Amino acid sequence: MVRAFDEVIEMNKEKDVQVISQQQAKSVFETTRLNLWYGETHALKDIHLTISENEVTAIIGPSGCGKSTYLKTLNRMVELVPSVRTSGEIKYRDENILSKHYQVEHLRTKVGMVFQKPNPFPKSIYDNIAYGPRIHGIRNKKILDQIVEKSLRDAAIWDEVKDRLHENAYGLSGGQQQRICIARCLAIEPDVILMDEPTSALDPISTLKVEELIQQLKANYSIVIVTHNMQQAARISDKTAFFLNGEVVEFDVTNKIFTNPHDKRTEDYVSGRFG
Ligand SMILES: Nc1ncnc2c1ncn2[C@@H]1O[C@H](COP(=O)(O)OP(=O)(O)OP(=O)(O)O)[C@@H](O)[C@H]1O
Ligand SMILES: [Mg+2]
């Protein structure tokens, strides 16, 4: 039905087979009956969603539908807003992270986040990457050097910065800064990477680089990406959740969402009829 996606869908057919064969994939996050309020605003309504290991899960939906809120609930960053109240359950590797007794510090070492606007620290490229490992007590220069190199290589930016590691990260282009932020996230060896519109501030070439990188990273990480770019969701994700007014309207294998959605509202959204 959505002609613009024909090509992407053809490419993804193979991927679909993989997804089906992985249906036993372990879940990393299991969200059950999640509700969230900012004061009186009911921003997430009865969310049920499973994030699976070594998959890219895309979250799509119009502005204000709760995508960022949901992402920030997965690392409990949303609690930085004082008026926030939640109910329900989010299990991360079988432990309920919304429980009062849950050690949020543990979650922060396991779940990394990349934001819409590249946000390197005003420090050298090296110090940006070494920041997390240093916080975790690593002082040995040789080990830090190794972590910095590996993280930059894994973020596909080593060759571009290896001769300027001690220059300020602000001197890099936006696309390079975003890959530095991804490298900074990898340096703490997370289990899951959350990305909130990570390419919306980037040019098409940098966007492509980050998309390729995401495809490579899923061999070792589980990734949740919020995107307004429908082609991007179709290109890089295994599963897609369509959010509307704080609810999950539909969650399925990406090809299904884009070619044969179950709900009329999903069809309208992915075909550009609203939002
Ligand atoms: N800090 C906050 N305080 C109060 N309400 C908030 C806060 N952050 C978000 N909201 C409200 O929660 C709802 C969901 O917002 P959210 O930022 O999650 O949407 P989104 O889907 O990420 O939108 P966008 O695509 O524009 O980024 C909106 O109604 C928004 O106004
Ligand atoms: Mg948002």
Side-chain angles (χ1 to χ4, degrees), residues 67-68 196-197:
K67 304 179 298 295
S68 298
D196 197 349
E197 301 184 46

Side-chain angles (χ1 to χ4, degrees), residues 38 41 43 61-70 72 81 83 196-197 226 228:
Y38 292 106
T41 308
S63 189
C65 68
K67 304 179 298 295
S68 298
T69 299
Y70 178 65
K72 286 186 284 185
V81 180
S83 65
D196 197 349
E197 301 184 46
V226 169
H228 276 281

Side-chain angles (χ1 to χ4, degrees), residues 59-231:
I59 298 180
I60 59 169
S63 189
C65 68
K67 304 179 298 295
S68 298
T69 299
Y70 178 65
L71 210 62
K72 286 186 284 185
T73 311
L74 295 178
N75 65 357
R76 280 185 45 181
M77 228 179 89
V78 76
E79 286 167 23
L80 297 174
V81 180
S83 65
V84 160
R85 216 158 34 88
T86 55
S87 71
E89 191 179 81
I90 301 180
K91 278 191 174 166
Y92 166 66
R93 304 265 180 209
D94 294 331
E95 272 188 278
N96 182 11
I97 64 168
L98 298 183
S99 142
K100 273 204 301 266
H101 311 291
Y102 189 82
Q103 297 285 322
V104 75
E105 298 73 25
H106 174 69
L107 195 66
R108 300 277 154 78
T109 65
K110 293 291 177 189
V111 182
M113 185 148 181
V114 176
F115 298 85
Q116 177 171 11
K117 215 168 142 260
N119 60 346
F121 304 131
K123 292 170 178 285
S124 71
I125 294 167
Y126 186 100
D127 288 343
N128 262 276
I129 313 303
Y131 184 86
R134 280 178 175 142
I135 284 187
H136 293 121
I138 299 174
R139 292 275 172 266
N140 182 305
K141 174 143 185 342
K142 236 180 166 170
I143 295 177
L144 284 174
D145 285 353
Q146 282 169 4
I147 295 174
V148 169
E149 178 170 343
K150 182 173 189 319
S151 307
L152 290 167
R153 279 190 189 283
D154 290 351
I157 188 153
W158 172 252
D159 289 337
E160 287 161 72
V161 300
K162 63 178 190 289
D163 300 322
R164 49 195 290 200
L165 293 178
H166 297 286
E167 288 174 27
N168 198 300
Y170 278 11
L172 299 170
S173 74
Q176 289 173 325
Q177 286 186 14
Q178 194 60 308
R179 280 176 289 142
I180 293 292
C181 294
I182 294 172
R184 184 176 66 192
C185 173
L186 300 181
I188 60 160
E189 299 193 322
D191 181 22
V192 185
I193 306 175
L194 309 176
M195 298 180 160
D196 197 349
E197 301 184 46
T199 63
S200 67
L202 307 184
D203 65 84
I205 291 173
S206 305
T207 296
L208 208 65
K209 280 194 180 161
V210 172
E211 286 186 7
E212 282 169 9
L213 175 58
I214 291 171
Q215 291 286 282
Q216 288 159 18
L217 291 176
K218 82 171 185 180
N220 298 311
Y221 304 90
S222 310
I223 297 169
V224 188
I225 178 171
V226 169
T227 179
H228 276 281
N229 180 332
M230 231 70 71
Q231 278 90 349

Side-chain angles (χ1 to χ4, degrees), residues 47-67:
I47 306 283
H48 290 256
L49 204 59
T50 300
I51 308 295
S52 300
E53 208 169 50
N54 301 117
E55 284 188 3
V56 177
T57 305
I59 298 180
I60 59 169
S63 189
C65 68
K67 304 179 298 295

